[in-house]
Amino acid sequence: MNLEYQLIFFFSALGAFNGFLLSFYFAFKAKKSQVPSNYFLACLLLVLSVRIVKSVFFYFISGLSETFIQIGLSACFLIGPFLYLYLQSQFIAPKKNYRLLHILPYILIITVIGIAFPYWSERLLWTTYFVRVIYLQWLTYIIFSGLVLKPVFKKFFSSSEKFTDKDLWLSSIFFGTTFIWIGYFVGSFTSYIVGALSFSFILYLVILVLIFQRKKTTLFFDEKIRYKNKEINLVVIDEISNKLHLIQDKELFKDANLKLADIALAFKTSPHTLSQYLNDNLGKSFSLFINEYRIEEAKRLLHSNDNYTIEAIGYESGFNSKSTFFTTFKSLVGITPSAYRKQGN
């Protein structure tokens, strides 16, 4: 193996190894910080790393076990769903049945296909048809994920809405995964190792973003404030619980620019304590907590005020864009605002 091949092997293999480490890291942080969305990120990095390891060994090592090749290709079937679920979970909390709908069927499919048509005996079938279906499914979920981030992309071109560090992080995850898909697609016409190198490049780029942004924000854990290793005492819990009605009574949720610090000020507590209360006692992020109030208000307006357009109701309820309102409403209620209005007529 000449120097050029050694360098390519080193960087692509190191990228996959770091991917596994980051996967375990985010899984550990998810368990410790009680932020479920990090499980999706951990799983996304895990299946990407499995796919990359397969590519690296397939390219550099002859006689690679065909079972290992099958596992690597099958992992691609879960990249798209985990990308979609992670990005969606940053805006709303997907229900358990909804999460399973995007994971279990694919696990069942790849298991049945793997047993009925193993790679070692049906190699032509895999390389001709199954791989195409896998990459088409991956691309489909990339498109769905792009729709989830539509409000974020609008901010980038908007002069009235600020493009936040969290928006930058989510965009990096989305475009990074998209770039890796392009790397594998292009690799079918150029070199098979392009996809693995793309992963390494994107991974190092994201790590750099993490390092430079780390001091300014808790960007990677759903903007969750770091807590001390102790629980809030019961007196404070009761005080906050007794003040929750202020959000409804004073219609604080209608402020589209409402922040955790604003509610904390109204409750006469610290943002740190309020965030810990929401996560530990209600199991919700601040954005989900406030959006539930907004959706309840929107439901009331949809049935009581036919003069308002649906878009106007979204703004009246506290949402800062039509797309965010529609996405959040459908995720929490299960149907679109238009369909909900029709149910009340």
Side-chain angles (χ1 to χ4, degrees):
M1 186 182 297
N2 58 37
L3 179 60
E4 179 183 352
Y5 264 49
Q6 288 177 345
L7 289 174
I8 293 175
F9 176 80
F10 174 77
F11 284 111
S12 54
L14 185 60
F17 176 73
N18 288 333
F20 281 118
L21 289 182
L22 279 177
S23 173
F24 297 139
Y25 171 75
F26 281 113
F28 171 76
K29 294 300 293 187
K31 181 179 180 181
K32 185 176 180 181
S33 61
Q34 298 182 349
V35 180
S37 63
N38 283 320
Y39 282 120
F40 298 134
L41 181 57
C43 290
L44 172 62
L45 287 169
L46 179 63
V47 291
L48 276 170
S49 298
V50 170
R51 180 64 180 89
I52 301 306
V53 166
K54 177 262 176 186
S55 299
V56 172
F57 283 93
F58 182 81
Y59 187 79
F60 290 101
I61 300 176
S62 59
L64 183 66
S65 169
E66 291 172 324
T67 301
F68 186 70
I69 296 175
Q70 179 176 317
I71 293 173
L73 290 173
S74 299
C76 286
F77 223 36
L78 297 173
I79 294 173
F82 282 128
L83 171 67
Y84 174 73
L85 288 172
Y86 172 66
L87 295 177
Q88 188 188 57
S89 67
Q90 296 300 304
F91 300 94
I92 50 93
K95 296 180 180 179
K96 184 177 181 180
N97 291 340
Y98 183 79
R99 297 196 300 261
L100 295 177
L101 182 64
H102 286 277
I103 299 174
L104 288 184
Y106 296 122
I107 293 178
L108 180 63
I109 290 172
I110 59 178
T111 300
V112 171
I113 289 179
I115 295 174
F117 306 99
Y119 187 90
W120 63 269
S121 64
E122 302 292 344
R123 181 169 183 171
L124 182 62
L125 189 63
W126 275 82
T127 56
T128 305
Y129 298 104
F130 291 167
V131 170
R132 292 181 182 178
V133 172
I134 288 171
Y135 283 104
L136 179 60
Q137 181 253 19
W138 184 357
L139 176 61
T140 302
Y141 270 98
I142 286 176
I143 294 173
F144 287 154
S145 300
L147 294 176
V148 170
L149 289 185
K150 190 176 178 181
V152 173
F153 299 150
K154 284 186 176 181
K155 287 184 183 180
F156 185 78
F157 299 100
S158 173
S159 57
S160 59
E161 294 185 86
K162 183 180 179 181
F163 193 78
T164 65
D165 289 334
K166 181 178 179 181
D167 295 332
L168 175 62
W169 168 249
L170 297 180
S171 299
S172 299
I173 295 295
F174 170 75
F175 286 113
T177 307
T178 302
F179 190 75
I180 294 168
W181 181 90
I182 294 174
Y184 275 112
F185 181 78
V186 172
S188 62
F189 303 100
T190 55
S191 174
Y192 189 76
I193 201 62
V194 170
L197 289 175
S198 300
F199 176 73
S200 299
F201 173 75
I202 293 300
L203 183 62
Y204 297 141
L205 184 62
V206 170
I207 291 175
L208 284 176
V209 173
L210 186 152
I211 292 172
F212 283 112
Q213 298 294 332
R214 189 65 174 170
K215 294 182 180 180
K216 298 194 300 180
T217 179
T218 54
L219 178 65
F220 311 102
F221 308 116
D222 196 26
E223 296 182 319
K224 179 179 173 71
I225 297 175
R226 292 177 175 271
Y227 306 136
K228 296 178 181 179
N229 294 323
K230 63 179 182 180
E231 298 180 353
I232 310 175
N233 65 62
L234 295 178
V235 174
V236 175
I237 291 176
D238 288 339
E239 289 177 350
I240 295 177
S241 299
N242 292 332
K243 293 177 180 178
L244 291 179
H245 68 90
L246 295 176
I247 299 176
Q248 184 71 50
D249 295 346
K250 295 185 176 183
E251 297 185 333
L252 300 177
F253 59 88
K254 289 190 175 183
D255 180 0
N257 298 313
L258 186 67
K259 297 180 177 61
L260 177 69
D262 299 327
I263 299 296
L265 182 62
F267 286 7
K268 296 181 180 180
T269 188
S270 69
H272 172 102
T273 302
L274 178 58
S275 181
Q276 185 174 359
Y277 170 84
L278 293 176
N279 282 272
D280 291 352
N281 294 276
L282 302 184
K284 300 175 183 178
S285 65
F286 175 70
S287 59
L288 174 60
F289 175 68
I290 293 300
N291 280 341
E292 287 179 340
Y293 281 98
R294 290 168 175 165
I295 291 301
E296 287 303 313
E297 176 67 8
K299 289 163 65 177
R300 185 185 70 80
L301 292 174
L302 284 167
H303 281 173
S304 64
N305 199 324
D306 293 333
N307 295 325
Y308 276 27
T309 64
I310 291 178
E311 183 176 358
I313 287 176
Y315 288 119
E316 180 68 20
S317 302
F319 290 96
N320 57 14
S321 71
K322 177 182 177 181
S323 56
T324 302
F325 171 51
F326 274 56
T327 301
T328 306
F329 192 97
K330 188 172 183 180
S331 297
L332 293 181
V333 182
I335 56 177
T336 63
S338 300
Y340 185 83
R341 170 174 270 180
K342 291 178 181 178
Q343 285 184 351
N345 295 334

